[in-house]
Every structure is written in C-alpha cells, then in structure tokens.
Amino acid sequence: MSPDPHGDSEAVRRRERRASAVARTAARVASERSLPATLRALAHEILQTDGLAGVQVLTNLHPGEKLHMLGIAGFPASQSSDFFSRLMECQRLGADLRMLDVFHSGERVVIPHRYQAVMSNPAWGPLHEYHRHPEWDAFASVPIKVRQSTIGVLNAFVSPGKEIDEEGLEFLTAMAEQAGLAIDYASLLEQERSAAQREERQRLAQDLHDSVVQQVFSMGMLTQTLKVLGEDGRPESLDRIREITADLQDITGSVLKDLRGLVAQLRPSATSGTGLRHALRELEAATHRQTGVRFRTSIGGIADDVEGDFAEDLYHVIAEAVHNAVKHSSADLITVTLELDEAGTVQLCVRDNGSQPGSSVVPADPQEGHGLSFMRQRVTRWRGELTIESGRGGAGTAVRAEIPFRTLSFTDDEAPRTSERQDEDLYD
C-alpha cells in the first residue's frame, strides 16, 4: 500500500505547529514577568495547536501547599477557583485521581475514554458540572518538573474523535518543561528578593552591634560605677555622680537616635515614603504574580492621608487578610475597600469569594491564631474594632475594621501597645 501523501503533509504541519508553539512559549517565559499570564498563554497555545477540549496547569510554588490552577484554557475560568478543593472532595468520595498519581510519581499518563468514566461515577459528583462542558474523551497528565522535583501537573482533555499519540505526548512534555522554567523563574525572583532582605537585615544587625550594643555596654558600666559611688556616701563622690549622670544622659540620647534610624529602615513599604496606596498596589501585584488571584480594589483618599504607624498597621491588617484568603480559601478574587465615612471612621474590608465550606481565615480553634490575633491588636491599638464574617450565603470571608480616624490625636505613648511592635514604640 502506497503512503498517504495527505496524511504525511498533515503530520508535518502538526509537527511545525507544535515546534512553533514551544518556541513562542519559550520566548514568553523569557520575557513575561507574570507567572499566571505566562501559564494561561501556555495553556491556550496547547489548546489551539492540538485542537484539545481543555488544558489545565496546576502547581504549588512552595512544598506542602495546595495546588493552584494558574493556567487554564477551554474550561470556564470562573469555575477554577475551587477546583482543587472539589478535587479533594472527590478523593474523599473514592474517586481515582490519576493527576495526583502523576504529581506524586512523576510519571506521565494517558487514559482513553476518561470522560464517560468520570461522568458516570458518583464519586466525581463535585466536579461533574466543571467537567461536563466542553465534552472531551481521553485524558492525559504530564508532570511539571524543576531540577528533578515535580512541582505541578499539566492536564490535557482530548476532544472526541481525537487521540494523543507518542508525538502528542512529547509535545505536552515539552510544554510542561516550559511551564517548569516559568515557575522556576518566578521562584528565583522571589529568592532574589528574600536574599536582598536577608542582606539588609545583616547590615542592620551589624549597625546595631557597632553603635547601639556598644553604647548600651557603656551605660551598663557607668551604672555599676554609680552603684558603687552611691554606696560610698562621701560628699566628694557627688561630683563624680553628677558627671556620670550627664554621660548617661548623653549616651541615652545617642542610643535613642540610632534606634530611631534603624527602626525607620525596618519599616515596610507602607511607611517608607511611597505611601499606603503604593504599598497596596505592590501587595496586589506580588500576590497575583505568585498565585493568580485577582483583585478588585476601591481605595479612597484616606490612603493618601494616613502615614507613620497608622498606615503601617493598616497595611499589615490588609496583607494578613490577603495572605489568609490565599492560603485557606478557594478564592480567585479578593476585594479590598478602604474609605473614610461621613462620621470620620476609617472603613476597611477585605473580602474573598471562596465558597468552599470551611474556607475561612477564622481558625478552627476558638483561640485566635497568631495572624488573626495580631490583626486584632493592630486595630484595637487605634481604638478600632475588627470583625470577621465567614461563609454567609456563599460570599466567602470578609475581614472588616472600623477605626475612628478623627480621634487619632493621641500620642504613641497613649496608644495601646502590640507585643509585636513594642520595642519600636519605645523609641518613636
């Protein structure tokens, strides 16, 4: 039988499309700063190149975390936020989760006629609506690896009437390698930021030792001398006591000056001169790059009016609420509102759209967790009130704070202390 020229030419064109897709993705990995944008584009490249029904890219940026779906094509993006939570529910019901087998074993897998098996099995019930459209048939899952460690999976849902041959599987593997490069690149950027922070802390520690520690040692020696002279009781010792007291006063002033300088360098971006509004933009951008979570913000003019410790505390309350939403909920959208109402009260709300039962910043233990406790301390420090609304009507979790801004005329010494910031407050 003579070879089919049409079949050969189609195979050549398919190989060319795949090679072009890998090349375009590689170029994007090298230039794109947003990991979610890179992985979404990668998923669409695969979908369009091989005519698949759907593509998923799931990864955990840090070991032990849940898998985040940072790339998706074919399936509605709006249904991806709680995908992993629903997948875990399917596992509890007894579903055979082959993608998790791939994640743990690092071996790729292809399963024919998977659609009917999934849709007819009640154990897959929590994901039936997600998987129903578009219709697909076979399923393939390929590990995403970085330096021999599996950090995610690339899932391909094959359209009815099509199949994944060895060349198709190699294409998916090549695209998984590009996904691994993108994830590794994002991780290296975070490591560079952390290394810079460590170097800065080491420099500050050296400054602290060279100035403050030595001066405090001198204060200790002078204090011991005062103790001896005080027990002496001779009138001529009074002149020496006065001299030492003056020296202690000078050293104390110098120590306080040095500490104020060091504390100013340790302040987060919210109070470093760029302002609260800029710091919140950076928080949102960094969180989106790392997790794919979207933000909807409404930041009023109050963000430009607050400064110093108050701005810093507002920033950390928002940052902690965002961190908890990303870590504990299935949310893909976080809404941040900060405004000043007519009564002169700062109204802050951080709400996520996580709808999975149990997804909440509120710890299971009735005793508050460390992060939630510090959020409350930062708010009550300014005579405000923190409330948590969790899971009402499937609306996710909302962290709310009300702080009387117009009555913030008291000094730092009058304001309640938080154990985390007590040392700083002593030198403000």
Side-chain angles (χ1 to χ4, degrees), residues 244-267:
I244 293 177
T245 302
D247 289 342
L248 280 172
Q249 186 175 9
D250 290 342
I251 294 175
T252 301
S254 178
V255 169
L256 288 175
K257 180 179 179 180
D258 288 342
L259 283 174
R260 286 194 185 100
L262 291 171
V263 168
Q265 296 179 61
L266 288 169
R267 292 190 187 280

PDB file of all heavy atoms in Angstrom, residues 244-267:
ATOM      1  N   ILE A 244      28.824  61.291  85.840  1.00  0.00           N
ATOM      2  CA  ILE A 244      28.359  60.038  85.238  1.00  0.00           C
ATOM      3  C   ILE A 244      26.909  60.160  84.780  1.00  0.00           C
ATOM      4  O   ILE A 244      26.530  59.638  83.714  1.00  0.00           O
ATOM      5  CB  ILE A 244      28.517  58.887  86.252  1.00  0.00           C
ATOM      6  CG1 ILE A 244      30.006  58.634  86.517  1.00  0.00           C
ATOM      7  CG2 ILE A 244      27.842  57.612  85.728  1.00  0.00           C
ATOM      8  CD1 ILE A 244      30.269  57.574  87.565  1.00  0.00           C
ATOM      9  N   THR A 245      26.076  60.847  85.564  1.00  0.00           N
ATOM     10  CA  THR A 245      24.675  61.042  85.180  1.00  0.00           C
ATOM     11  C   THR A 245      24.572  61.796  83.862  1.00  0.00           C
ATOM     12  O   THR A 245      23.762  61.459  82.986  1.00  0.00           O
ATOM     13  CB  THR A 245      23.917  61.806  86.276  1.00  0.00           C
ATOM     14  OG1 THR A 245      24.007  61.085  87.510  1.00  0.00           O
ATOM     15  CG2 THR A 245      22.446  61.983  85.896  1.00  0.00           C
ATOM     16  N   ALA A 246      25.439  62.835  83.702  1.00  0.00           N
ATOM     17  CA  ALA A 246      25.446  63.594  82.447  1.00  0.00           C
ATOM     18  C   ALA A 246      25.902  62.712  81.292  1.00  0.00           C
ATOM     19  O   ALA A 246      25.343  62.776  80.181  1.00  0.00           O
ATOM     20  CB  ALA A 246      26.356  64.817  82.583  1.00  0.00           C
ATOM     21  N   ASP A 247      26.918  61.859  81.545  1.00  0.00           N
ATOM     22  CA  ASP A 247      27.371  60.934  80.496  1.00  0.00           C
ATOM     23  C   ASP A 247      26.262  59.964  80.097  1.00  0.00           C
ATOM     24  O   ASP A 247      26.058  59.678  78.903  1.00  0.00           O
ATOM     25  CB  ASP A 247      28.592  60.146  80.986  1.00  0.00           C
ATOM     26  CG  ASP A 247      29.840  61.011  81.088  1.00  0.00           C
ATOM     27  OD1 ASP A 247      29.851  62.092  80.469  1.00  0.00           O
ATOM     28  OD2 ASP A 247      30.787  60.614  81.799  1.00  0.00           O
ATOM     29  N   LEU A 248      25.556  59.448  81.097  1.00  0.00           N
ATOM     30  CA  LEU A 248      24.453  58.528  80.801  1.00  0.00           C
ATOM     31  C   LEU A 248      23.367  59.203  79.982  1.00  0.00           C
ATOM     32  O   LEU A 248      22.784  58.607  79.069  1.00  0.00           O
ATOM     33  CB  LEU A 248      23.858  57.987  82.109  1.00  0.00           C
ATOM     34  CG  LEU A 248      24.616  56.847  82.781  1.00  0.00           C
ATOM     35  CD1 LEU A 248      24.017  56.562  84.153  1.00  0.00           C
ATOM     36  CD2 LEU A 248      24.577  55.590  81.923  1.00  0.00           C
ATOM     37  N   GLN A 249      23.096  60.450  80.300  1.00  0.00           N
ATOM     38  CA  GLN A 249      22.075  61.186  79.560  1.00  0.00           C
ATOM     39  C   GLN A 249      22.487  61.349  78.099  1.00  0.00           C
ATOM     40  O   GLN A 249      21.680  61.166  77.179  1.00  0.00           O
ATOM     41  CB  GLN A 249      21.843  62.551  80.195  1.00  0.00           C
ATOM     42  CG  GLN A 249      20.691  63.333  79.573  1.00  0.00           C
ATOM     43  CD  GLN A 249      20.410  64.628  80.313  1.00  0.00           C
ATOM     44  OE1 GLN A 249      21.180  65.040  81.194  1.00  0.00           O
ATOM     45  NE2 GLN A 249      19.320  65.277  79.981  1.00  0.00           N
ATOM     46  N   ASP A 250      23.763  61.670  77.872  1.00  0.00           N
ATOM     47  CA  ASP A 250      24.252  61.836  76.501  1.00  0.00           C
ATOM     48  C   ASP A 250      24.203  60.510  75.736  1.00  0.00           C
ATOM     49  O   ASP A 250      23.782  60.459  74.574  1.00  0.00           O
ATOM     50  CB  ASP A 250      25.693  62.358  76.523  1.00  0.00           C
ATOM     51  CG  ASP A 250      25.779  63.809  77.011  1.00  0.00           C
ATOM     52  OD1 ASP A 250      24.735  64.492  76.991  1.00  0.00           O
ATOM     53  OD2 ASP A 250      26.876  64.228  77.412  1.00  0.00           O
ATOM     54  N   ILE A 251      24.651  59.430  76.401  1.00  0.00           N
ATOM     55  CA  ILE A 251      24.659  58.123  75.729  1.00  0.00           C
ATOM     56  C   ILE A 251      23.240  57.668  75.429  1.00  0.00           C
ATOM     57  O   ILE A 251      22.961  57.131  74.353  1.00  0.00           O
ATOM     58  CB  ILE A 251      25.397  57.088  76.593  1.00  0.00           C
ATOM     59  CG1 ILE A 251      26.884  57.444  76.715  1.00  0.00           C
ATOM     60  CG2 ILE A 251      25.258  55.687  75.977  1.00  0.00           C
ATOM     61  CD1 ILE A 251      27.650  56.536  77.649  1.00  0.00           C
ATOM     62  N   THR A 252      22.313  57.892  76.381  1.00  0.00           N
ATOM     63  CA  THR A 252      20.914  57.509  76.162  1.00  0.00           C
ATOM     64  C   THR A 252      20.337  58.225  74.949  1.00  0.00           C
ATOM     65  O   THR A 252      19.660  57.633  74.107  1.00  0.00           O
ATOM     66  CB  THR A 252      20.072  57.819  77.397  1.00  0.00           C
ATOM     67  OG1 THR A 252      20.599  57.110  78.522  1.00  0.00           O
ATOM     68  CG2 THR A 252      18.621  57.417  77.186  1.00  0.00           C
ATOM     69  N   GLY A 253      20.625  59.519  74.828  1.00  0.00           N
ATOM     70  CA  GLY A 253      20.141  60.275  73.679  1.00  0.00           C
ATOM     71  C   GLY A 253      20.714  59.744  72.377  1.00  0.00           C
ATOM     72  O   GLY A 253      20.015  59.650  71.364  1.00  0.00           O
ATOM     73  N   SER A 254      22.004  59.369  72.411  1.00  0.00           N
ATOM     74  CA  SER A 254      22.629  58.814  71.215  1.00  0.00           C
ATOM     75  C   SER A 254      22.026  57.474  70.836  1.00  0.00           C
ATOM     76  O   SER A 254      21.792  57.198  69.652  1.00  0.00           O
ATOM     77  CB  SER A 254      24.142  58.676  71.455  1.00  0.00           C
ATOM     78  OG  SER A 254      24.780  58.107  70.326  1.00  0.00           O
ATOM     79  N   VAL A 255      21.792  56.617  71.851  1.00  0.00           N
ATOM     80  CA  VAL A 255      21.183  55.316  71.590  1.00  0.00           C
ATOM     81  C   VAL A 255      19.802  55.484  70.969  1.00  0.00           C
ATOM     82  O   VAL A 255      19.448  54.806  69.992  1.00  0.00           O
ATOM     83  CB  VAL A 255      21.103  54.487  72.880  1.00  0.00           C
ATOM     84  CG1 VAL A 255      20.222  53.247  72.668  1.00  0.00           C
ATOM     85  CG2 VAL A 255      22.497  54.054  73.328  1.00  0.00           C
ATOM     86  N   LEU A 256      18.997  56.374  71.545  1.00  0.00           N
ATOM     87  CA  LEU A 256      17.652  56.590  71.014  1.00  0.00           C
ATOM     88  C   LEU A 256      17.704  57.095  69.574  1.00  0.00           C
ATOM     89  O   LEU A 256      16.906  56.686  68.728  1.00  0.00           O
ATOM     90  CB  LEU A 256      16.891  57.581  71.891  1.00  0.00           C
ATOM     91  CG  LEU A 256      16.448  57.069  73.268  1.00  0.00           C
ATOM     92  CD1 LEU A 256      15.819  58.191  74.069  1.00  0.00           C
ATOM     93  CD2 LEU A 256      15.462  55.922  73.113  1.00  0.00           C
ATOM     94  N   LYS A 257      18.657  57.976  69.275  1.00  0.00           N
ATOM     95  CA  LYS A 257      18.790  58.490  67.914  1.00  0.00           C
ATOM     96  C   LYS A 257      19.143  57.362  66.939  1.00  0.00           C
ATOM     97  O   LYS A 257      18.570  57.254  65.850  1.00  0.00           O
ATOM     98  CB  LYS A 257      19.862  59.574  67.885  1.00  0.00           C
ATOM     99  CG  LYS A 257      20.073  60.185  66.502  1.00  0.00           C
ATOM    100  CD  LYS A 257      21.144  61.271  66.537  1.00  0.00           C
ATOM    101  CE  LYS A 257      21.372  61.856  65.152  1.00  0.00           C
ATOM    102  NZ  LYS A 257      22.425  62.913  65.171  1.00  0.00           N
ATOM    103  N   ASP A 258      20.105  56.511  67.354  1.00  0.00           N
ATOM    104  CA  ASP A 258      20.495  55.392  66.484  1.00  0.00           C
ATOM    105  C   ASP A 258      19.344  54.411  66.278  1.00  0.00           C
ATOM    106  O   ASP A 258      19.129  53.894  65.171  1.00  0.00           O
ATOM    107  CB  ASP A 258      21.698  54.659  67.077  1.00  0.00           C
ATOM    108  CG  ASP A 258      22.985  55.472  66.962  1.00  0.00           C
ATOM    109  OD1 ASP A 258      23.003  56.420  66.143  1.00  0.00           O
ATOM    110  OD2 ASP A 258      23.947  55.172  67.690  1.00  0.00           O
ATOM    111  N   LEU A 259      18.612  54.141  67.353  1.00  0.00           N
ATOM    112  CA  LEU A 259      17.499  53.200  67.242  1.00  0.00           C
ATOM    113  C   LEU A 259      16.397  53.748  66.348  1.00  0.00           C
ATOM    114  O   LEU A 259      15.785  52.999  65.578  1.00  0.00           O
ATOM    115  CB  LEU A 259      16.943  52.869  68.632  1.00  0.00           C
ATOM    116  CG  LEU A 259      17.783  51.893  69.453  1.00  0.00           C
ATOM    117  CD1 LEU A 259      17.204  51.767  70.863  1.00  0.00           C
ATOM    118  CD2 LEU A 259      17.836  50.527  68.798  1.00  0.00           C
ATOM    119  N   ARG A 260      16.123  55.043  66.453  1.00  0.00           N
ATOM    120  CA  ARG A 260      15.112  55.633  65.571  1.00  0.00           C
ATOM    121  C   ARG A 260      15.518  55.456  64.105  1.00  0.00           C
ATOM    122  O   ARG A 260      14.699  55.151  63.244  1.00  0.00           O
ATOM    123  CB  ARG A 260      14.944  57.115  65.894  1.00  0.00           C
ATOM    124  CG  ARG A 260      14.189  57.390  67.186  1.00  0.00           C
ATOM    125  CD  ARG A 260      13.775  58.854  67.263  1.00  0.00           C
ATOM    126  NE  ARG A 260      13.159  59.152  68.553  1.00  0.00           N
ATOM    127  CZ  ARG A 260      13.781  59.746  69.565  1.00  0.00           C
ATOM    128  NH1 ARG A 260      15.040  60.121  69.431  1.00  0.00           N
ATOM    129  NH2 ARG A 260      13.149  59.982  70.691  1.00  0.00           N
ATOM    130  N   GLY A 261      16.810  55.648  63.820  1.00  0.00           N
ATOM    131  CA  GLY A 261      17.281  55.472  62.453  1.00  0.00           C
ATOM    132  C   GLY A 261      17.136  54.046  61.972  1.00  0.00           C
ATOM    133  O   GLY A 261      16.701  53.794  60.847  1.00  0.00           O
ATOM    134  N   LEU A 262      17.483  53.081  62.850  1.00  0.00           N
ATOM    135  CA  LEU A 262      17.359  51.675  62.476  1.00  0.00           C
ATOM    136  C   LEU A 262      15.905  51.273  62.296  1.00  0.00           C
ATOM    137  O   LEU A 262      15.556  50.545  61.358  1.00  0.00           O
ATOM    138  CB  LEU A 262      18.023  50.792  63.533  1.00  0.00           C
ATOM    139  CG  LEU A 262      19.557  50.879  63.601  1.00  0.00           C
ATOM    140  CD1 LEU A 262      20.076  50.136  64.819  1.00  0.00           C
ATOM    141  CD2 LEU A 262      20.175  50.314  62.336  1.00  0.00           C
ATOM    142  N   VAL A 263      15.038  51.746  63.195  1.00  0.00           N
ATOM    143  CA  VAL A 263      13.607  51.421  63.092  1.00  0.00           C
ATOM    144  C   VAL A 263      13.026  51.983  61.804  1.00  0.00           C
ATOM    145  O   VAL A 263      12.223  51.338  61.124  1.00  0.00           O
ATOM    146  CB  VAL A 263      12.842  51.952  64.322  1.00  0.00           C
ATOM    147  CG1 VAL A 263      11.337  51.897  64.088  1.00  0.00           C
ATOM    148  CG2 VAL A 263      13.205  51.147  65.557  1.00  0.00           C
ATOM    149  N   ALA A 264      13.465  53.204  61.439  1.00  0.00           N
ATOM    150  CA  ALA A 264      12.968  53.806  60.196  1.00  0.00           C
ATOM    151  C   ALA A 264      13.336  52.954  58.986  1.00  0.00           C
ATOM    152  O   ALA A 264      12.560  52.809  58.040  1.00  0.00           O
ATOM    153  CB  ALA A 264      13.535  55.210  60.037  1.00  0.00           C
ATOM    154  N   GLN A 265      14.532  52.348  59.016  1.00  0.00           N
ATOM    155  CA  GLN A 265      14.954  51.477  57.901  1.00  0.00           C
ATOM    156  C   GLN A 265      14.183  50.171  57.879  1.00  0.00           C
ATOM    157  O   GLN A 265      14.056  49.538  56.827  1.00  0.00           O
ATOM    158  CB  GLN A 265      16.449  51.179  58.016  1.00  0.00           C
ATOM    159  CG  GLN A 265      17.327  52.413  57.864  1.00  0.00           C
ATOM    160  CD  GLN A 265      18.794  52.083  58.009  1.00  0.00           C
ATOM    161  OE1 GLN A 265      19.338  51.301  57.237  1.00  0.00           O
ATOM    162  NE2 GLN A 265      19.451  52.676  58.995  1.00  0.00           N
ATOM    163  N   LEU A 266      13.677  49.739  59.043  1.00  0.00           N
ATOM    164  CA  LEU A 266      12.965  48.467  59.117  1.00  0.00           C
ATOM    165  C   LEU A 266      11.502  48.600  58.736  1.00  0.00           C
ATOM    166  O   LEU A 266      10.813  47.597  58.578  1.00  0.00           O
ATOM    167  CB  LEU A 266      13.054  47.891  60.543  1.00  0.00           C
ATOM    168  CG  LEU A 266      14.424  47.341  60.947  1.00  0.00           C
ATOM    169  CD1 LEU A 266      14.450  47.048  62.436  1.00  0.00           C
ATOM    170  CD2 LEU A 266      14.756  46.094  60.153  1.00  0.00           C
ATOM    171  N   ARG A 267      11.002  49.813  58.587  1.00  0.00           N
ATOM    172  CA  ARG A 267       9.586  49.979  58.296  1.00  0.00           C
ATOM    173  C   ARG A 267       9.243  49.380  56.937  1.00  0.00           C
ATOM    174  O   ARG A 267      10.017  49.487  55.990  1.00  0.00           O
ATOM    175  CB  ARG A 267       9.194  51.463  58.294  1.00  0.00           C
ATOM    176  CG  ARG A 267       9.257  52.114  59.659  1.00  0.00           C
ATOM    177  CD  ARG A 267       8.622  53.483  59.606  1.00  0.00           C
ATOM    178  NE  ARG A 267       8.803  54.197  60.852  1.00  0.00           N
ATOM    179  CZ  ARG A 267       8.073  54.007  61.933  1.00  0.00           C
ATOM    180  NH1 ARG A 267       7.123  53.101  61.916  1.00  0.00           N
ATOM    181  NH2 ARG A 267       8.287  54.709  63.025  1.00  0.00           N
TER     182      ARG A 267
END
